[in-house]
Amino acid sequence: MKTALLVGCNYPNTPYELKGCINDVHATRDVILKRFNFDPQHVELITDEPGSPKMPTRANIMAGLAEMVKEAKEGDVLLFHFSGHGVEADMKPGRKDDAIVPCDLNLIYDVDIRHLIQQLPKETSFTIVSDSCHSGGLIDKEKEQIGPHKGIAPSVDAQKRGISLESIHQGLQTAANVINAASDVLGTTVAFGTTGLDIVSNIGHLLTGIFRDNVSLKFRPSQEPRSLTEDEGILLSGFQADELSLDLEPSDKTQGKAYGAFTYSLQKIINETHGALTNKQLVMNVRDEITSLGFHEQHPCLYCSDKNAGTAFMATIPTPLAFPMINELVPQKKAVLVGCNYPKTPYNLKGCINDVENIRRLIMKRFNFDRHFIKVLTDNYIPGSCAMPTGIKIKAALYEMVKTARPGDVLFFYFSGHGTAVPVLKPGQPLRLDEAIVPCDFNLITDVDFRDLVNQLPERVNFTILSDSCHSGGLIDKEKEQIGPNTLRKGKKSPECITRGKSIGFPVIHDIIDLVSDAAHQATNIAEQFFGFFGRDIVSLKFNHEAAKQKGLLGLQPHEDKGILVSGCEAYETSFDVVLDGNSYGAFTDAVVKVSMGGYGKISNKDLVTKARDILKQNGFDQTPCLYCSNADLDADFLGEVA
């Protein structure tokens, strides 16, 4: 059986009110019902929203948890999700303990959770998801699998989910004063905290005075559990013990609702994943998603046994989301569209997300792409955008598209953003500059990565890459050049046309990574620097010589295959972001849309590039679109059949 207790505390009408916690637990309820087959009768919500039949006091939360554990049988799956404030206290010199904060401030400590875990029957998993500050280590003495990580200050505006011991003490003291006043009227006596003690001891005395025996085991040390062995407790914490969890403010991205950044990211990853994720994989993916949102100081952690680190989250393969039925034998058109504007950075662009929307409309209207088979990744929310365009997210989307392709499919990858030229120096050879696109997290995707994708294409599958970025000529390593560099007479730009080059110099990227990562700073070469910051298995194959060698990507010669590259400029040129009539666009993308919608009927890859060249030349742009593909694909229809 699967059982869940979901608790959300917004603390309304208090100085420490939050906005997203109740939304969190309602969203979690939807996910576990739809994806993990929980029975609604075995899912209990406790919130402090108006009209709630049961408030999230310590007594109610602990009673719900105790009942869940008491009724558990061997093999059951239990879930406790808490969204609200957390607190960290110095209980002993050199030791900090973590607690969650119910609506009545009667703290639930790590030792209380440990006490519950130790009562579980064998082979019963108990997963705790805590979106509250200082929740890393919330199961006392649980083994750390994914722990602390150094980060940089956040670049986003968000509300923190932390409450100070002083605030808790003040709230409890106020409650004690009210009780004392009532006691005077009733002629009764109540003992409360002693002045002169440290703040934690004072809180313990106040809690004991108000709630009697219904307080944490932390304040009843004689009853603390002592025996500690590997168990079935699994803690997914929103951050490490010394960090603050953050609330996402309402926005278009969150459909106008506030959420915890951890809960929002957790559910987003689950809903985007078709198969099962282990607890470890899930936490690592959520870390990446939270970082892509701009929360660089929040690092989710995992605490569990070695066995449970590799177990599927909720010990379940998720039920696929409802999806239109298709005939798998019919060729499909599939697309991944990426736009990076790099907001709030010195390298920001204005037109790249507009480009993505224009291309999405174009391929649906003109080239018969079904919206269900178009994946959009942008660094500023637009309807349909599913994820931030980090290096790992873009590559995951591309590899999934290639992996699921069938003979006759048409695959399309569009990128609008910065490009860069990666210096490659080998002994006895001159310096070479290789092409790369720049995701929002600067985890470069290079020509070697695209070559690896093309090499994995099934028979009779075309893969077209259209890149509106600088240095994009030759972006598929060793692809045959059909329309290459050409010297054009510069035209005259319209006076209202404002341009900005879509390029970041590789030394700038090098310096950024060096600045924000200690591991990268200590590296002795470019490859080690990228390994130190992103991880060896995550960076481009350009920097992982052994992996590239195993894939047969070294020493390749130009050859023909089903890769088609339509680049906005040649390898050493700049592609431009322009403002026309008050709106920003990529000059090359604008030209492609105009050619495609120009009433030509079917248009070949060759004609698309030559006509786009003509438009750019007429408008005075010093950039030369290029085409790299096989002889057979030179005159083939761009993206297949048209509407």
Side-chain angles (χ1 to χ4, degrees), residues 59-226:
N60 286 336
I61 296 170
M62 291 302 295
L65 290 172
E67 180 70 15
M68 192 163 64
V69 169
K70 180 182 176 182
E71 295 297 321
K73 302 290 190 296
E74 183 174 337
D76 283 359
V77 175
L78 313 183
L79 171 66
F80 172 46
H81 179 183
F82 177 80
S83 184
H85 280 303
V87 70
E88 184 181 64
D90 293 294
M91 301 301 296
K92 296 178 181 179
R95 170 181 160 185
K96 293 181 181 293
D97 293 320
D98 308 314
I100 57 176
V101 183
C103 68
D104 60 350
L105 308 185
N106 191 2
L107 305 177
I108 298 174
Y109 268 92
D110 48 6
V111 70
D112 302 312
I113 304 297
R114 160 60 58 201
H115 182 63
L116 288 164
I117 297 292
Q118 291 187 333
Q119 298 177 49
L120 288 171
K122 274 190 172 184
E123 302 302 320
T124 299
S125 72
F126 188 178
T127 300
I128 298 172
V129 175
S130 183
D131 197 344
S132 60
C133 291
H134 312 295
S135 60
L138 193 57
I139 304 177
D140 188 36
K141 304 298 190 299
E142 194 65 54
K143 184 174 182 179
E144 179 185 283
Q145 298 287 347
I146 302 175
H149 177 89
K150 286 189 176 181
I152 58 177
S155 58
V156 293
D157 183 25
Q159 183 178 8
K160 295 179 178 179
R161 291 188 173 185
I163 186 171
S164 67
L165 287 172
E166 288 75 16
S167 295
I168 292 174
H169 183 268
Q170 184 178 3
L172 291 173
Q173 188 63 64
T174 300
N177 292 340
V178 171
I179 293 172
N180 269 330
S183 298
D184 290 340
V185 173
L186 297 172
T188 59
T189 59
V190 181
F192 287 110
T194 305
T195 59
L197 298 175
D198 64 87
I199 190 168
V200 176
S201 298
N202 259 324
I203 287 173
H205 280 271
L206 287 167
L207 287 171
T208 303
I210 297 170
F211 299 104
R212 303 299 184 186
D213 289 335
N214 185 26
V215 297
S216 172
L217 292 170
K218 192 69 69 177
F219 304 112
R220 293 182 287 158
S222 62
Q223 299 183 42
E224 279 195 33
R226 298 296 178 187

Side-chain angles (χ1 to χ4, degrees), residues 10 17-28 83 131 157-159 161 246-265 267 295:
N10 273 352
E17 183 172 358
L18 296 172
K19 298 176 182 177
C21 302
I22 293 172
N23 293 335
D24 284 348
V25 296
H26 281 287
T28 295
S83 184
D131 197 344
D157 183 25
Q159 183 178 8
R161 291 188 173 185
L246 299 167
D247 238 353
L248 277 173
E249 294 293 335
S251 67
D252 289 341
K253 180 181 294 187
T254 62
Q255 291 76 52
K257 295 182 179 180
Y259 290 97
F262 176 58
T263 300
Y264 173 86
S265 299
Q267 292 168 74
F295 295 101

Side-chain angles (χ1 to χ4, degrees), residues 560-578:
E560 297 196 358
D561 50 40
K562 303 309 289 183
I564 303 167
L565 170 65
V566 180
S567 66
C569 60
E570 58 114 342
Y572 302 105
E573 284 186 331
T574 295
S575 195
F576 288 102
D577 199 18
V578 302

